[in-house]
Amino acid sequence: MAVRPGLWPALLGIVLAAWLRGSGAQQSATVANPVPGANPDLLPHFLVEPEDVYIVKNKPVLLVCKAVPATQIFFKCNGEWVRQVDHVIERSTDGSSGLPTMEVRINVSRQQVEKVFGLEEYWCQCVAWSSSGTTKSQKAYIRIAYLRKNFEQEPLAKEVSLEQGIVLPCRPPEGIPPAEVEWLRNEDLVDPSLDPNVYITREHSLVVRQARLADTANYTCVAKNIVARRRSASAAVIVYVDGSWSPWSKWSACGLDCTHWRSRECSDPAPRNGGEECRGADLDTRNCTSDLCLHTASGPEDVALYIGLVAVAVCLILLLLVLVLIYCRKKEGLDSDVADSSILTSGFQPVSIKPSKADNPHLLTIQPDLSTTTTTYQGSLCPRQDGPSPKFQLSNGHLLSPLGSGRHTLHHSSPTSEAEDFVSRLSTQNYFRSLPRGTSNMAYGTFNFLGGRLMIPNTGISLLIPPDAIPRGKIYEIYLTLHKPEDVRLPLAGCQTLLSPIVSCGPPGVLLTRPVILAMDHCGEPSPDSWSLRLKKQSCEGSWEDVLHLGEESPSHLYYCQLEAGACYVFTEQLGRFALVGEALSVAATKRLRLLLFAPVACTSLEYNIRVYCLHDTHDALKEVVQLEKQLGGQLIQEPRVLHFKDSYHNLRLSIHDVPSSLWKSKLLVSYQEIPFYHIWNGTQQYLHCTFTLERVNASTSDLACKVWVWQVEGDGQSFNINFNITKDTRFADLLALESEGGVPALVGPSAFKIPFLIRQKIITSLDPPCSRGADWRTLAQKLHLDSHLSFFASKPSPTAMILNLWEARHFPNGNLGQLAAAVAGLGQPDAGLFTVSEAEC
């Protein structure tokens, strides 16, 4: 039926109204809505319909729809028409029928989906019009793809007997789309099609029908979808064999004492991998019958035989005693040689120790120098062979030592500390009144327009409140708090990782007229090519927002950041809760991990535990572990090392080697222990460590010499040479001694600044006005290597004040005023005139 051109708008309005009346119904398939009396053959039908799709990270998705015949075609998402400008429409003519064809494309962003996230699923539908009516396509559901980091259930270590069944459960992390699961045995893929003895259940559990000795291994559950790949903690499975007796031997001939015997051995099979020894005696003796005894005793040749056997036995005993004496003497000489040998320490240079400056009470008493002589290894690490070369290579699979007969222990825990749990009481409603006093992870003070400084000792965290940041006539009680990661829920997406501590300063909402500077450590190796760094701030509603993308700062932003190696300085005019988060842009992105080895100060049993901690290389993480080890009665037994951990999804492995078997026995049954990659990379888990349990053969043993290796598969590695006396060696005991907590964490007024107030005002007055000769604040910023922030400084009422504030934050308490004076003097400003104050001015 033909439609006159004048009637088409009215007809289209009727069809659209009919569509709007029926749009509330949920449709999942193509639905036609013909005009009464129209030719149904001319209704639009879809050549291409939109399909379900997932948004990965922040990449928008494309929906495509194509219909014939079609005079109009549009998308509708969640009941609302998509704007016409967001459509890309192509018109053509069908080659076979000559009917008009239309194709439409739209992009859907993550932000659009998140607006309705949690209320209903986001869907889009295509609607096409022709002269005969309308047709609606199937609905396409757009979902945000993700994969949580933590497994809902991880496999646990097991010890099973030979031919017993093994079930290793695994419930992968929650994800959209649901994760696929595969299993690794010693990093090799488990393929049930190649091994009929194993299969994987629908619930993702790995089942071994009958355990074999070859099934002794480390098992890892791997979950993956289009977003990410996650690995569970490795579970060590030990298949042991209990010993069983062989058949009895035949009875021996009757002896002179009228007895005879028979024997058996625990070898059918012999115990393996920690299996139980055979129970019962291996020798059975009985009296001979009287006739046999008389007959045997009456033979003179038998008597001579037994006398000869006794003589041989006496000779063997004497020879054995001589050999024991010779062995003991040689062993004493060998021990003295080993004690003086350089073999135990060759191959890895020791880390030098640098004492802290006496005038710096805010640093650790002694800091290890991790940049000069620490030997760092790139690539895979393997056991060191003959020769003095300091490099060694380790394969990605098992290490050298075969499976032992002890028990395997893998520790990953978060012990509690004595610090008060004040974080949960912090809220934006109660502000400072809700914070408890006297905890070691907070500082607080009362400030006015003169400013001041808050510091949390031994953490690298401070808050500088410059002069005039607080309006005149106002008095604020301000606090600074360090949070434990497990107490604050910080959502991390994709490959994001926490690089700094989570720090709060408040109360939120107070009026500031100048930016304050929050200083905190970070453990990233900053590089614009390998990292995308963002400053996150928690809103009053509890959600986290990106308030600053480093490298894309704008002078008009409320936040600005000076990033340095190991520390960042955040300018902010709004107090709140902050954290520095990074997202790796390439596998070259690395985090610095500090490796610490602790052991008991006093060992009262045969067992001796060596704890290897893998921490963020920040002062706050170090402080927590040092305080924890004080409670556990531990001491540092080696100088700390730094390891660069890559975003490569490879785990961190730890192993112990060269344990003297005559003095010590290692209870590590497998070749190495592992800390999963995501436990380290997300940065929210504290106290990550592994424990190596050694057992002394004799209670009098006190000397221990061995090696501990820590490495990332296909990445960086470090080696520790341990050689000390466990009862009296305390050479490393004071290496990480923390400063006394009795210091003042709050400094108020002029005492908080290195630059005297009147001198500061003189410098500002002299350098703020522009100078044609270059003797102004711009040149000062260049001399202090801050010229990359010129636009930010220029946006403030006093650029010089911003430069001096940053200098104060970076150099307190050991800043050298002489160097600053020299920099000012180099601008043509008289050094003596700016850095002296007259008695009248005082």
Side-chain angles (χ1 to χ4, degrees):
M1 179 180 70
V3 180
R4 295 199 308 272
L7 295 179
W8 171 248
L11 179 62
L12 182 60
I14 295 172
V15 172
L16 183 59
W19 160 256
L20 291 175
R21 287 195 299 270
S23 62
Q26 293 292 325
Q27 303 290 342
S28 60
T30 302
V31 176
N33 189 9
V35 174
N39 185 358
D41 294 335
L42 295 179
L43 280 171
H45 67 274
F46 290 96
L47 304 177
V48 178
E49 294 189 73
E51 297 180 349
D52 294 348
V53 68
Y54 296 100
I55 294 178
V56 178
K57 296 185 178 178
N58 293 317
K59 297 179 181 178
V61 295
L62 179 67
L63 298 182
V64 181
C65 184
K66 187 175 183 180
V68 62
T71 56
Q72 294 291 335
I73 188 169
F74 290 102
F75 269 101
K76 191 173 192 179
C77 295
N78 276 66
E80 296 183 2
W81 292 102
V82 178
R83 297 184 308 170
Q84 185 172 0
V85 295
D86 294 332
H87 291 76
V88 177
I89 300 177
E90 294 183 4
R91 302 174 184 270
S92 60
T93 302
D94 185 70
S96 59
S97 64
L99 295 174
T101 302
M102 296 188 70
E103 180 178 331
V104 63
R105 297 188 298 272
I106 64 169
N107 284 317
V108 179
S109 68
R110 182 187 183 105
Q111 289 75 17
Q112 292 174 263
V113 178
E114 286 179 338
K115 285 182 180 179
V116 297
F117 186 73
L119 302 177
E120 57 178 320
E121 288 193 292
Y122 193 91
W123 56 267
C124 290
Q125 191 174 36
C126 188
V127 184
W129 283 267
S130 73
S131 59
S132 295
T134 62
T135 306
K136 295 179 283 187
S137 73
Q138 66 182 9
K139 288 183 178 179
Y141 288 90
I142 299 93
R143 301 176 176 91
I144 298 175
Y146 67 92
L147 185 61
R148 303 291 186 199
K149 294 184 178 295
N150 296 327
F151 280 71
E152 295 183 2
Q153 184 178 13
E154 294 185 297
L156 300 177
K158 290 181 178 292
E159 295 182 1
V160 298
S161 62
L162 191 67
E163 298 184 352
Q164 180 182 343
I166 303 173
V167 179
L168 295 177
C170 176
R171 293 171 58 194
E174 177 189 351
I176 294 179
E180 298 177 358
V181 171
E182 62 186 19
W183 283 86
L184 302 179
R185 178 197 287 127
N186 288 340
E187 302 302 320
D188 295 327
L189 182 66
V190 177
D191 188 352
S193 64
L194 301 178
D195 186 355
N197 193 42
V198 300
Y199 67 92
I200 300 175
T201 68
R202 296 179 62 182
E203 293 76 24
H204 310 301
S205 297
L206 178 66
V207 178
V208 180
R209 291 182 172 91
Q210 288 185 318
R212 303 157 296 190
L213 289 176
D215 293 321
T216 296
N218 286 319
Y219 289 84
T220 308
C221 182
V222 179
K224 60 182 179 179
N225 66 3
I226 59 177
V227 178
R229 184 174 184 265
R230 312 292 189 203
R231 292 166 58 104
S232 71
S234 295
V237 173
I238 310 299
V239 181
Y240 62 87
V241 179
D242 290 332
S244 180
W245 291 112
S246 65
W248 287 103
S249 66
K250 293 183 179 180
W251 287 99
S252 68
C254 193
L256 293 176
D257 56 352
C258 291
T259 61
H260 61 166
W261 54 269
R262 61 177 181 173
S263 64
R264 58 180 179 176
E265 296 180 351
C266 188
S267 59
D268 189 23
R272 298 185 63 179
N273 292 349
E276 291 187 1
E277 296 285 343
C278 299
R279 296 182 180 180
D282 58 354
L283 185 66
D284 184 19
T285 304
R286 292 184 182 179
N287 291 328
C288 300
T289 62
S290 57
D291 293 340
L292 182 58
C293 180
L294 292 174
H295 173 74
T296 304
S298 62
E301 64 280 3
D302 291 340
V303 174
L305 174 62
Y306 286 119
I307 292 175
L309 289 175
V310 171
V312 171
V314 171
C315 293
L316 290 175
I317 292 173
L318 292 175
L319 179 61
L320 180 61
L321 291 175
V322 172
L323 292 176
V324 170
L325 290 175
I326 294 174
Y327 171 76
C328 291
R329 292 184 179 181
K330 286 187 176 182
K331 185 175 181 301
E332 291 176 359
L334 179 63
D335 288 344
S336 61
D337 291 340
V338 172
D340 296 333
S341 173
S342 63
I343 295 176
L344 296 176
T345 55
S346 67
F348 303 98
Q349 301 176 6
V351 178
S352 62
I353 304 300
K354 291 185 177 181
S356 65
K357 298 180 180 180
D359 59 345
N360 187 359
H362 299 279
L363 298 179
L364 299 179
T365 302
I366 298 181
Q367 284 283 5
D369 183 4
L370 301 179
S371 60
T372 56
T373 60
T374 302
T375 307
T376 303
Y377 305 90
Q378 298 294 335
S380 302
L381 304 177
C382 270
R384 190 162 64 93
Q385 307 296 332
D386 295 338
S389 172
K391 296 185 177 180
F392 60 96
Q393 299 270 336
L394 282 181
S395 65
N396 290 338
H398 283 284
L399 299 184
L400 294 180
S401 55
L403 294 177
S405 59
R407 294 289 185 268
H408 170 229
T409 5
L410 175 62
H411 290 265
H412 167 212
S413 58
S414 300
T416 57
S417 66
E418 293 180 350
E420 296 180 39
D421 186 16
F422 58 86
V423 178
S424 61
R425 299 174 57 192
L426 176 61
S427 68
T428 57
Q429 303 301 324
N430 295 328
Y431 298 134
F432 187 77
R433 294 188 300 275
S434 66
L435 293 173
R437 304 300 205 244
T439 59
S440 62
N441 284 338
M442 74 165 299
Y444 48 88
T446 303
F447 302 91
N448 59 11
F449 73 95
L450 293 176
R453 187 188 306 263
L454 289 175
M455 299 167 291
I456 302 178
N458 304 313
T459 64
I461 298 171
S462 65
L463 182 68
L464 179 74
I465 307 168
D468 291 323
I470 298 176
R472 292 177 180 261
K474 299 285 187 180
I475 297 177
Y476 295 158
E477 193 173 18
I478 297 178
Y479 62 83
L480 181 66
T481 302
L482 167 64
H483 299 276
K484 295 181 179 179
E486 62 266 26
D487 294 334
V488 179
R489 180 174 177 81
L490 173 60
L492 298 174
C495 299
Q496 288 184 338
T497 175
L498 180 63
L499 296 176
S500 75
I502 301 175
V503 180
S504 288
C505 53
V510 298
L511 174 64
L512 297 175
T513 56
R514 301 284 189 276
V516 298
I517 301 179
L518 175 64
M520 55 187 177
D521 289 352
H522 70 84
C523 63
E525 286 292 325
S527 170
D529 299 329
S530 56
W531 281 108
S532 172
L533 301 175
R534 300 176 186 272
L535 180 70
K536 285 185 174 287
K537 181 175 182 287
Q538 191 173 28
S539 67
C540 296
E541 292 78 19
S543 60
W544 286 86
E545 302 170 347
D546 293 340
V547 295
L548 181 63
H549 188 181
L550 275 66
E552 300 180 5
E553 299 94 336
S554 168
S556 60
H557 282 171
L558 294 174
Y559 309 92
Y560 206 82
C561 182
Q562 159 76 3
L563 187 70
E564 300 181 357
C568 61
Y569 302 89
V570 178
F571 291 81
T572 175
E573 295 182 30
Q574 294 184 355
L575 303 183
R577 185 173 295 172
F578 297 92
L580 183 66
V581 170
E583 182 171 4
L585 301 179
S586 70
V587 293
T590 62
K591 295 174 64 172
R592 297 187 315 276
L593 300 183
R594 183 174 295 199
L595 307 177
L596 302 171
L597 271 64
F598 283 89
V601 174
C603 184
T604 57
S605 65
L606 294 179
E607 286 191 353
Y608 189 74
N609 293 322
I610 298 177
R611 293 181 289 275
V612 185
Y613 289 88
C614 306
L615 316 172
H616 279 179
D617 186 22
T618 57
H619 285 89
D620 61 287
L622 176 64
K623 174 183 177 181
E624 292 292 329
V625 168
V626 171
Q627 291 179 339
L628 171 66
E629 281 294 329
K630 283 185 178 180
Q631 299 173 20
L632 297 177
Q635 65 170 337
L636 190 71
I637 62 172
Q638 275 290 298
E639 298 167 350
R641 303 283 178 90
V642 169
L643 181 143
H644 292 85
F645 192 78
K646 296 195 302 183
D647 180 21
S648 62
Y649 291 102
H650 287 299
N651 295 345
L652 190 71
R653 292 182 177 175
L654 304 93
S655 60
I656 189 167
H657 300 274
D658 299 344
V659 179
S661 58
S662 60
L663 301 175
W664 295 86
K665 176 183 176 183
S666 173
K667 289 196 170 186
L668 180 64
L669 191 55
V670 292
S671 300
Y672 55 83
Q673 301 187 60
E674 277 192 325
I675 299 178
F677 166 83
Y678 61 86
H679 285 185
I680 297 175
W681 192 254
N682 65 16
T684 59
Q685 301 195 38
Q686 289 186 305
Y687 313 118
L688 284 176
H689 72 285
C690 285
T691 299
F692 294 102
T693 301
L694 305 178
E695 184 176 358
R696 291 184 285 179
V697 175
N698 192 297
S700 61
T701 300
S702 58
D703 291 324
L704 175 60
C706 62
K707 294 178 181 177
V708 172
W709 293 347
V710 184
W711 78 102
Q712 186 182 19
V713 179
E714 300 182 6
D716 192 14
Q718 292 288 0
S719 174
F720 295 87
N721 291 329
I722 299 174
N723 189 0
F724 76 113
N725 187 295
I726 67 173
T727 60
K728 57 184 179 182
D729 198 336
T730 59
R731 53 186 151 156
F732 302 106
D734 297 329
L735 193 60
L736 297 180
L738 299 179
E739 69 171 32
S740 171
E741 299 292 346
V744 179
L747 297 174
V748 180
S751 63
F753 305 96
K754 289 288 294 183
I755 307 173
F757 181 77
L758 294 179
I759 292 179
R760 169 190 169 91
Q761 295 304 110
K762 281 189 173 184
I763 297 175
I764 293 173
T765 303
S766 301
L767 300 185
D768 267 352
C771 180
S772 59
R773 296 180 293 104
D776 59 14
W777 63 269
R778 294 174 180 82
T779 309
L780 177 62
Q782 294 174 358
K783 287 182 173 291
L784 298 179
H785 307 292
L786 301 175
D787 46 316
S788 60
H789 307 314
L790 291 180
S791 58
F792 170 70
F793 296 146
S795 68
K796 302 303 176 184
S798 174
T800 309
M802 293 295 103
I803 297 173
L804 297 182
N805 293 344
L806 183 55
W807 186 92
E808 289 277 5
R810 296 169 67 195
H811 296 92
F812 188 86
N814 295 321
N816 190 328
L817 280 177
Q819 294 179 352
L820 180 62
V824 174
L827 306 180
Q829 299 287 350
D831 163 39
L834 288 180
F835 283 85
T836 56
V837 182
S838 67
E839 292 184 4
E841 290 175 316
C842 291

